[in-house]
Amino acid sequence: MGRRVRAAGADRHAVLVDDDSLFEDGPRCPRPVVAANQWLRELPTSGALSPNTWEAYARALRDWLVFLDERGVGAFEQRDRLHLAP
C-alpha cells in the first residue's frame, strides 16, 4: 500500500497517510500509520524541534513501511519474521 507524507496543522507537523486515507481497517484495528503518527507527534518533546527534521523522519519511516509492505511483512511482526523477510 502506498503512503504519502503531509504537513498538517498550524505547526506543519508531518503526518503519514495511506493512499486510501484510512487509519484503521475496522473497529479497534488501527493501521501501522497510527503508531507512526503518534511517534512523529512526540518528536518535538524528544528534542527534534525543527519541522524539517519531522519531515525527514516521516519520509524515512514511510520508506521503511513501504519496504516492509512490498515484502509482505507487517510493521509489528515478531522479530524473527522481520529477520526472515526477503
Short mmCIF file of all heavy atoms in Angstrom, two decimals, residues 13-38:
data_model
loop_
_atom_site.label_atom_id
_atom_site.label_comp_id
_atom_site.label_asym_id
_atom_site.label_seq_id
_atom_site.Cartn_x
_atom_site.Cartn_y
_atom_site.Cartn_z
N HIS A 13 3.25 19.94 11.23
CA HIS A 13 3.74 18.64 11.68
C HIS A 13 3.53 17.59 10.59
O HIS A 13 2.48 17.53 9.98
CB HIS A 13 3.03 18.22 12.96
CG HIS A 13 3.83 17.31 13.79
ND1 HIS A 13 4.73 17.75 14.71
CD2 HIS A 13 3.90 15.97 13.81
CE1 HIS A 13 5.31 16.73 15.28
NE2 HIS A 13 4.83 15.63 14.75
N ALA A 14 4.52 16.75 10.34
CA ALA A 14 4.44 15.71 9.32
C ALA A 14 3.50 14.60 9.78
O ALA A 14 3.50 14.19 10.94
CB ALA A 14 5.82 15.14 9.04
N VAL A 15 2.68 14.12 8.83
CA VAL A 15 1.71 13.05 9.10
C VAL A 15 1.79 12.05 7.96
O VAL A 15 1.85 12.43 6.80
CB VAL A 15 0.28 13.62 9.19
CG1 VAL A 15 -0.74 12.51 9.34
CG2 VAL A 15 0.16 14.62 10.31
N LEU A 16 1.79 10.76 8.29
CA LEU A 16 1.74 9.72 7.27
C LEU A 16 0.29 9.36 6.99
O LEU A 16 -0.51 9.22 7.92
CB LEU A 16 2.47 8.46 7.74
CG LEU A 16 3.98 8.56 7.87
CD1 LEU A 16 4.53 7.25 8.41
CD2 LEU A 16 4.61 8.88 6.55
N VAL A 17 -0.04 9.22 5.70
CA VAL A 17 -1.40 8.88 5.29
C VAL A 17 -1.33 7.78 4.24
O VAL A 17 -0.57 7.89 3.28
CB VAL A 17 -2.12 10.12 4.68
CG1 VAL A 17 -3.53 9.77 4.27
CG2 VAL A 17 -2.11 11.28 5.66
N ASP A 18 -2.10 6.70 4.44
CA ASP A 18 -2.18 5.66 3.42
C ASP A 18 -2.92 6.21 2.20
O ASP A 18 -3.70 7.16 2.31
CB ASP A 18 -2.93 4.44 3.96
CG ASP A 18 -2.08 3.61 4.91
OD1 ASP A 18 -0.84 3.66 4.81
OD2 ASP A 18 -2.67 2.92 5.76
N ASP A 19 -2.69 5.60 1.04
CA ASP A 19 -3.32 6.09 -0.19
C ASP A 19 -4.83 6.14 -0.12
O ASP A 19 -5.46 7.00 -0.74
CB ASP A 19 -2.91 5.22 -1.39
CG ASP A 19 -1.51 5.55 -1.87
OD1 ASP A 19 -0.98 6.63 -1.52
OD2 ASP A 19 -0.94 4.73 -2.62
N ASP A 20 -5.45 5.25 0.65
CA ASP A 20 -6.91 5.26 0.75
C ASP A 20 -7.42 6.18 1.87
O ASP A 20 -8.60 6.26 2.14
CB ASP A 20 -7.46 3.85 0.94
CG ASP A 20 -6.93 3.17 2.19
OD1 ASP A 20 -6.25 3.83 3.02
OD2 ASP A 20 -7.19 1.97 2.34
N SER A 21 -6.50 6.89 2.51
CA SER A 21 -6.80 7.87 3.56
C SER A 21 -7.47 7.28 4.80
O SER A 21 -8.06 8.00 5.60
CB SER A 21 -7.66 9.02 3.02
OG SER A 21 -6.97 9.70 2.00
N LEU A 22 -7.36 5.97 4.98
CA LEU A 22 -7.92 5.32 6.17
C LEU A 22 -6.83 5.12 7.22
O LEU A 22 -5.67 4.90 6.89
CB LEU A 22 -8.54 3.97 5.82
CG LEU A 22 -9.73 4.01 4.87
CD1 LEU A 22 -10.16 2.58 4.53
CD2 LEU A 22 -10.88 4.79 5.48
N PHE A 23 -7.23 5.19 8.48
CA PHE A 23 -6.29 4.98 9.58
C PHE A 23 -6.55 3.69 10.33
O PHE A 23 -5.81 3.34 11.24
CB PHE A 23 -6.32 6.17 10.54
CG PHE A 23 -5.72 7.41 9.95
CD1 PHE A 23 -6.51 8.38 9.38
CD2 PHE A 23 -4.35 7.58 9.93
CE1 PHE A 23 -5.96 9.52 8.82
CE2 PHE A 23 -3.77 8.70 9.37
CZ PHE A 23 -4.58 9.68 8.81
N GLU A 24 -7.62 2.99 9.96
CA GLU A 24 -7.89 1.69 10.56
C GLU A 24 -8.61 0.80 9.56
O GLU A 24 -9.25 1.29 8.63
CB GLU A 24 -8.68 1.82 11.86
CG GLU A 24 -10.00 2.54 11.74
CD GLU A 24 -10.67 2.74 13.10
OE1 GLU A 24 -9.98 2.73 14.12
OE2 GLU A 24 -11.89 2.89 13.10
N ASP A 25 -8.46 -0.51 9.76
CA ASP A 25 -9.10 -1.48 8.87
C ASP A 25 -10.46 -1.92 9.38
O ASP A 25 -11.14 -2.70 8.73
CB ASP A 25 -8.19 -2.68 8.66
CG ASP A 25 -6.97 -2.33 7.83
OD1 ASP A 25 -7.11 -1.56 6.86
OD2 ASP A 25 -5.87 -2.82 8.16
N GLY A 26 -10.82 -1.48 10.53
CA GLY A 26 -12.10 -1.82 11.13
C GLY A 26 -12.10 -1.30 12.55
O GLY A 26 -11.12 -0.72 13.01
N PRO A 27 -13.20 -1.52 13.26
CA PRO A 27 -13.25 -1.08 14.65
C PRO A 27 -12.12 -1.68 15.47
O PRO A 27 -11.87 -2.89 15.41
CB PRO A 27 -14.62 -1.58 15.14
CG PRO A 27 -15.41 -1.79 13.90
CD PRO A 27 -14.43 -2.17 12.83
N ARG A 28 -11.41 -0.84 16.15
CA ARG A 28 -10.32 -1.27 17.03
C ARG A 28 -9.22 -2.03 16.29
O ARG A 28 -8.59 -2.92 16.84
CB ARG A 28 -10.87 -2.08 18.18
CG ARG A 28 -11.87 -1.28 19.00
CD ARG A 28 -12.71 -2.14 19.89
NE ARG A 28 -12.02 -2.61 21.06
CZ ARG A 28 -12.30 -2.25 22.29
NH1 ARG A 28 -13.25 -1.40 22.52
NH2 ARG A 28 -11.65 -2.76 23.29
N CYS A 29 -9.00 -1.69 15.03
CA CYS A 29 -7.97 -2.33 14.21
C CYS A 29 -7.14 -1.25 13.50
O CYS A 29 -7.24 -1.10 12.28
CB CYS A 29 -8.63 -3.27 13.22
SG CYS A 29 -7.46 -4.30 12.33
N PRO A 30 -6.35 -0.50 14.28
CA PRO A 30 -5.58 0.59 13.67
C PRO A 30 -4.47 0.07 12.76
O PRO A 30 -3.93 -1.01 12.96
CB PRO A 30 -5.00 1.33 14.87
CG PRO A 30 -4.93 0.31 15.95
CD PRO A 30 -6.09 -0.63 15.69
N ARG A 31 -4.17 0.85 11.76
CA ARG A 31 -3.07 0.55 10.86
C ARG A 31 -1.75 1.04 11.45
O ARG A 31 -1.75 1.89 12.35
CB ARG A 31 -3.30 1.23 9.51
CG ARG A 31 -4.47 0.64 8.76
CD ARG A 31 -4.61 1.27 7.41
NE ARG A 31 -5.68 0.64 6.65
CZ ARG A 31 -6.03 1.02 5.44
NH1 ARG A 31 -5.41 2.03 4.85
NH2 ARG A 31 -7.00 0.40 4.81
N PRO A 32 -0.62 0.55 10.93
CA PRO A 32 0.68 0.99 11.45
C PRO A 32 0.90 2.50 11.40
O PRO A 32 1.62 3.04 12.22
CB PRO A 32 1.69 0.26 10.56
CG PRO A 32 0.97 -0.99 10.14
CD PRO A 32 -0.47 -0.57 9.98
N VAL A 33 0.25 3.19 10.43
CA VAL A 33 0.46 4.64 10.36
C VAL A 33 -0.05 5.36 11.61
O VAL A 33 0.43 6.44 11.93
CB VAL A 33 -0.16 5.28 9.09
CG1 VAL A 33 0.53 4.80 7.84
CG2 VAL A 33 -1.65 5.07 9.02
N VAL A 34 -0.97 4.76 12.34
CA VAL A 34 -1.46 5.38 13.57
C VAL A 34 -0.33 5.45 14.60
O VAL A 34 -0.07 6.50 15.18
CB VAL A 34 -2.69 4.62 14.12
CG1 VAL A 34 -3.09 5.15 15.49
CG2 VAL A 34 -3.84 4.72 13.14
N ALA A 35 0.37 4.34 14.81
CA ALA A 35 1.51 4.33 15.74
C ALA A 35 2.63 5.23 15.21
O ALA A 35 3.27 5.94 15.99
CB ALA A 35 2.02 2.91 15.93
N ALA A 36 2.85 5.20 13.90
CA ALA A 36 3.89 6.04 13.31
C ALA A 36 3.59 7.51 13.54
O ALA A 36 4.47 8.29 13.91
CB ALA A 36 4.02 5.75 11.81
N ASN A 37 2.34 7.91 13.35
CA ASN A 37 1.97 9.31 13.55
C ASN A 37 2.05 9.72 15.01
O ASN A 37 2.42 10.85 15.31
CB ASN A 37 0.57 9.57 12.98
CG ASN A 37 0.59 9.62 11.46
OD1 ASN A 37 1.56 10.05 10.85
ND2 ASN A 37 -0.48 9.17 10.86
N GLN A 38 1.74 8.81 15.90
CA GLN A 38 1.87 9.13 17.32
C GLN A 38 3.34 9.40 17.64
O GLN A 38 3.67 10.36 18.33
CB GLN A 38 1.35 7.98 18.18
CG GLN A 38 1.46 8.26 19.66
CD GLN A 38 0.87 7.14 20.50
OE1 GLN A 38 0.23 6.23 20.00
NE2 GLN A 38 1.10 7.21 21.79
#
